[in-house]
């Protein structure tokens, strides 16, 4: 076998893919690929597909959970596209398409009312819940898809109730407007998580390309489905239920596959409780697997962050109690069944994490059925007659555990330079404890 005596002038690489060498052979420079498999991005069918539908620099330019999330997101988008076709066909039938007695004016009024109520719903939902969509992106993403299926189910049933048709489609329009806000906002939040090279725009654009391809495939299949389901409500409903089940399952798997490395209240609470039980710090993967993805409408002792001073203390005496054993730039109290946290303007991200840890400990200690316990199964904060005594005990507990806890979570791979904790905008400067 003849030995290659060519001189290597340089090597180059495209991301983690192909590697090439520049050689000098017979006085000329040649470019030769290392190995025999693959091809340059864009020079083969697979390469073209990656170039069109995946972000530049994939997989280094995105988070580790990107591919799994996008797979399930594609499945849910495909099933949603087919369900949407069935709902649209039912809506058109309901407004009179194909009915010679129906008037254009009546159909137009119904459509305008549906769109108008949807616009109002969009504005109101963004006003009431817009700040929650970052901190609980997974919950609201799943909520949006469930609500979307409910809206489409209402549209399919609406033609069977002609007297209430306008009311039903307007209600469905409100639901879909909420879906648009919640789905779009949480998609943006997940894009921030996936972008590892400040490439949010590229990831968002490629995500749009993937969704367009899926919708095109759904459109082609819909051309076959529509003649089959026309004038066959039982088949329409059966197919809709089938696509809905697939849609909800794919959405659940999609949000479960997301591994956020930043703390929200749920993830921080999960990691803190594990640390208090046995001293172990959960990794982002472990904590995300335990994080609830369904909205919880009842909390025994909810936590309110960044509140006004009057929600924490109502008198100078209570301010002195809030400052007892407290040299941190935040105040805590238990008022009206809530743990309230008032934040100072000089508070750092570490202070914010500590404040939420302390609030979570207080909330758990006040739980009537599952109080906060340590490795010895003894309560870490004893229940007392005065909530202020429990607040004081919580300061002492944080003084003991917080610094090693913070070092541990950073070593485990959590980001502590920023958080997704749901702080309101109130910031208060208070005078020191009076003598």
């Amino acid at each position: 076998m003849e030995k290659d005596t060519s001189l290597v002038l340089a090597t180059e690489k495209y991301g983690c893919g192909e590697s090439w060498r520049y050689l000098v052979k017979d006085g000329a420079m040649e470019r030769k690929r290392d190995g025999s498999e693959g091809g340059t991005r864009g020079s083969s069918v697979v390469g073209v597909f990656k170039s069109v539908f995946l972000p530049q620099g994939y997989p280094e330019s995105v988070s580790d959970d990107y591919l799994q999330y996008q797979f399930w997101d594609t499945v849910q988008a495909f099933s949603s596209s087919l369900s949407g076709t069935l709902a649209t066909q039912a809506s058109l039938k309901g407004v009179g398409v194909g009915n010679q007695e129906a008037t254009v004016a009546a159909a137009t009024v119904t459509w305008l009312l549906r769109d108008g109520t949807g616009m109002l719903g969009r504005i109101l939902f963004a006003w009431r819940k817009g700040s929650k969509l970052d901190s609980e992106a997974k919950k609201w993403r799943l909520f949006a898809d469930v609500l979307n299926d409910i809206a489409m189910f209402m549209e399919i049933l609406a033609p069977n109730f002609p007297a209430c048709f306008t009311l039903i489609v307007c209600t469905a329009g409100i639901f879909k407007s909420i879906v648009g806000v919640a789905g779009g906002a949480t998609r943006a939040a997940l894009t921030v998580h996936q972008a590892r090279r400040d490439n949010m725009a590229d990831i968002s654009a490629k995500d749009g390309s993937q969704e367009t391809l899926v919708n095109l495939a759904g459109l082609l299949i819909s051309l076959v489905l529509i003649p089959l389901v026309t004038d066959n409500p039982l088949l329409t409903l059966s197919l809709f239920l089938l696509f809905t089940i697939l849609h909800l399952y794919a959405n659940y798997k999609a949000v479960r596959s997301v591994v956020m490395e930043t703390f929200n209240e749920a993830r921080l609470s999960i990691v803190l409780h594990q640390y208090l039980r046995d001293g172990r710090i959960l990794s982002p993967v472990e904590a995300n697997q335990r994080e609830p993805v369904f909205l919880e409408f009842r909390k025994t002792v909810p936590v309110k962050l960044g509140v006004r001073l009057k929600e924490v203390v109502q008198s100078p005496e209570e301010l002195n109690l809030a400052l007892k054993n407290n040299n941190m730039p935040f105040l805590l109290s238990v008022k009206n069944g809530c743990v309230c946290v008032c934040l100072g303007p000089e508070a750092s991200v570490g202070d914010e994490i500590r404040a939420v840890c302390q609030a979570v400990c207080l909330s758990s200690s006040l739980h009537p059925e599952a109080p906060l316990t340590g490795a010895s199964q003894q309560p870490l904060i004893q229940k007392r007659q005065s909530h202020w005594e429990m607040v004081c005990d919580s300061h002492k507990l944080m003084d003991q555990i917080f610094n090693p806890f913070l070092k541990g979570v950073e070593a485990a791979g959590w980001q502590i330079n920023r958080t997704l904790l749901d702080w309101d905008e109130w910031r208060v400067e208070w005078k020191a404890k009076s003598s």
Side-chain angles (χ1 to χ4, degrees):
M1 182 176 179
E2 184 178 353
K3 186 177 180 180
D4 188 359
T5 59
S6 304
L7 177 64
V8 178
L9 293 178
T11 60
E12 67 181 4
K13 190 177 181 182
Y14 192 93
C16 67
E18 304 82 20
S19 180
W20 299 79
R21 291 179 296 166
Y22 287 87
L23 311 172
V24 175
K25 190 171 183 179
D26 299 330
M29 187 170 70
E30 294 183 358
R31 184 172 182 262
K32 184 177 181 181
R33 178 162 49 86
D34 287 336
S36 58
E37 297 180 359
T40 306
R41 181 181 173 102
S43 64
S44 66
V45 174
V46 175
V48 170
F49 183 87
K50 289 181 178 180
S51 180
V52 173
F53 294 106
L54 294 176
Q56 180 175 316
Y58 172 86
E60 290 90 352
S61 62
V62 295
S63 58
D64 293 338
D65 56 14
Y66 177 83
L67 186 61
Q68 186 177 3
Y69 173 81
Q70 292 301 127
F71 170 78
W72 289 112
D73 189 54
T74 299
V75 174
Q76 71 86 20
F78 178 73
S79 55
S80 180
S81 175
L82 297 178
S83 298
T85 299
L86 299 176
T88 300
Q89 188 238 9
S91 296
L92 293 174
K93 181 180 179 181
V95 297
V97 174
N99 185 355
Q100 295 180 353
E101 298 179 359
T103 65
V104 175
T108 303
V109 168
T110 301
W111 220 256
L112 290 176
L113 286 173
R114 190 195 70 162
D115 290 347
T117 52
M119 292 174 188
L120 291 175
R122 185 179 298 113
I123 293 171
L124 291 174
F125 180 77
W127 168 50
R128 296 296 299 170
K129 296 296 182 181
S131 62
K132 303 285 185 183
L133 301 179
D134 283 302
S135 60
E136 297 182 333
K138 290 193 274 188
K139 289 183 178 181
W140 285 106
R141 179 58 191 265
L142 190 57
F143 168 82
D145 288 300
V146 172
L147 193 61
N148 187 52
D149 288 334
I150 293 174
M152 289 190 291
F153 183 65
M154 292 174 66
E155 290 178 340
I156 287 178
L157 292 182
N160 298 312
F161 303 93
C164 302
F165 178 81
T166 301
L167 177 62
I168 293 174
V169 296
C170 286
T171 304
I174 294 174
F175 288 173
K176 284 194 170 184
S177 69
I178 294 174
V179 170
V181 175
T186 53
R187 184 183 294 273
L190 294 174
T191 301
V192 172
H193 157 70
Q194 292 172 338
R196 295 304 157 99
R197 291 183 181 173
D198 293 325
N199 56 339
M200 287 176 53
D202 185 29
I203 291 177
S204 181
K206 297 302 170 53
D207 184 69
S209 297
Q210 295 168 20
E211 188 168 352
T212 301
L213 180 65
V214 170
N215 289 335
L216 179 60
L219 176 65
L220 296 176
I221 295 179
S222 297
L223 294 175
V224 178
L225 281 181
I226 290 301
L228 298 177
V229 301
T230 302
D231 299 323
N232 192 338
L234 180 60
L235 180 59
T236 299
L237 188 59
S238 300
L239 289 174
F240 176 79
L241 291 176
L242 176 63
F243 296 145
T244 298
I245 292 172
L246 177 60
H247 179 239
L248 294 177
Y249 177 75
N251 270 291
Y252 177 79
K253 295 292 289 185
V255 296
R256 271 292 177 211
S257 69
V258 176
V259 180
M260 296 276 200
E261 298 93 356
T262 47
F263 281 129
N264 64 0
E265 184 183 329
R267 291 189 288 272
L268 181 56
S269 177
I270 290 168
V271 175
L272 178 63
H273 278 77
Q274 185 69 47
Y275 178 75
L276 293 173
R277 279 195 294 269
D278 58 17
R280 186 167 69 94
I281 300 290
L282 295 176
S283 67
V285 173
E286 293 173 309
N288 277 267
Q289 288 174 347
R290 300 186 188 183
E291 181 186 6
V293 294
F294 295 101
L295 289 176
E296 298 165 315
F297 295 99
R298 292 186 60 188
K299 288 186 178 180
T300 305
V301 185
V303 175
K304 297 172 66 175
L305 304 176
V307 301
R308 293 171 291 184
L309 181 63
K310 73 175 186 178
E311 296 184 51
V312 177
V313 299
Q314 277 80 39
S315 67
E317 292 75 16
E318 285 194 338
L319 179 58
N320 286 341
L321 290 171
L323 291 170
K324 186 178 180 180
N325 291 333
N326 178 17
N327 58 356
M328 303 303 297
F330 56 82
L331 303 174
L332 291 97
S333 73
V334 181
K335 297 291 183 184
N336 301 320
C338 298
V339 178
C340 300
V341 185
C342 182
L343 196 65
E346 74 278 14
S348 64
V349 177
D351 295 329
E352 293 179 3
I353 295 175
R354 173 167 173 155
V356 177
C357 286
Q358 194 166 335
V360 166
C361 288
L362 269 175
S363 175
S364 299
S365 298
L366 292 167
H367 196 289
E369 299 177 359
L372 182 69
T373 58
S376 63
Q377 300 303 313
Q378 296 297 318
L380 294 173
I381 300 177
Q382 297 290 337
K383 289 188 177 180
R384 300 176 182 267
Q385 291 183 346
S386 170
H387 288 155
W388 290 112
E389 292 179 314
M390 297 183 68
V391 171
C392 183
D393 290 345
S394 70
H395 284 300
K396 295 176 182 178
L397 175 63
M398 284 297 111
D399 288 339
Q400 296 173 6
I401 70 163
F402 182 71
N403 287 335
F405 172 73
L406 191 65
K407 292 179 181 177
V409 296
E410 185 176 15
W414 291 96
Q415 294 182 14
I416 60 172
N417 59 331
R418 68 183 186 93
T419 68
L420 291 173
L421 299 170
D422 188 24
W423 289 95
D424 206 344
E425 294 303 310
W426 293 103
R427 298 294 180 269
V428 182
E429 293 189 61
W430 51 84
K431 292 185 178 181
K433 179 181 176 182
S434 63
S435 59

